[in-house]
Amino acid sequence: MARLLVRPGVDPDEPEVPVVTLVVDPDGPPGERAVARLGDYCYEGDGAFHLLPTDGWVEHALDGDRLEVAVAVYPFALGQVDVDASAFPGRSAVDPEAAMVLRAECAVDPEQYALTPPLTAVFTAGPDRAPDEVAADGDDWPIVLGLRPER
């Protein structure tokens, strides 16, 4: 199961700023494996792998103190990392062409969440590593998923 948290210390340039952080298991369920594989399709820069928002994005929904994060990816981008988009029948409400490959939720402090940038840092790690440990490590580059751009 993907693990979601909001924590500071993820961005070395702004260590005090909390970041929505998702930890996926590269050997886990299909959605986690798909998101982990996206790193092979991303471009590198500034100590992270970035997925272009024209290929996929993250959607955030806050309800009280519950944050839900959903990862939407276009079938073409999934195909570039040998992931069959038909394995993900759910579609994004924002753009029905995009497959919803993963959803995760957690309890958050709404005031802390309000300080987060409009992105999600995705790290890959097995269930044997604590999410805080993975995010604080500094050796692993995250996959950065932004919000879908406005049209």
Side-chain angles (χ1 to χ4, degrees):
M1 176 180 214
R3 297 165 289 165
L4 182 65
L5 63 154
V6 175
R7 71 176 315 279
V10 175
D11 183 348
D13 294 331
E14 296 182 291
E16 71 286 348
V17 175
V19 174
V20 176
T21 305
L22 182 64
V23 180
V24 297
D25 183 350
D27 299 317
E32 291 187 57
R33 291 193 315 264
V35 172
R37 293 177 82 175
L38 286 174
D40 293 339
Y41 182 65
C42 295
Y43 71 90
E44 296 179 32
D46 299 325
F49 300 104
H50 300 268
L51 183 67
L52 292 174
T54 54
D55 292 323
W57 63 88
V58 68
E59 298 174 7
H60 293 181
L62 183 65
D63 183 12
D65 70 346
R66 300 296 302 173
L67 174 65
E68 180 183 83
V69 168
V71 178
V73 184
Y74 287 111
F76 176 81
L78 290 171
Q80 296 303 302
V81 293
D82 296 322
V83 173
D84 182 4
S86 69
F88 303 99
R91 293 291 177 242
S92 168
V94 175
D95 184 347
E97 295 293 317
M100 295 306 289
V101 298
L102 183 66
R103 291 184 189 277
E105 69 174 54
C106 71
V108 297
D109 174 351
E111 290 179 14
Q112 183 185 40
Y113 174 71
L115 301 173
T116 64
L119 58 85
T120 297
V122 179
F123 292 91
T124 59
D128 57 319
R129 291 188 63 202
D132 272 330
E133 171 192 333
V134 174
D137 188 352
D139 290 335
D140 296 326
W141 282 18
I143 299 168
V144 176
L145 303 176
L147 301 179
R148 185 169 186 270
E150 299 295 322
R151 290 188 179 226

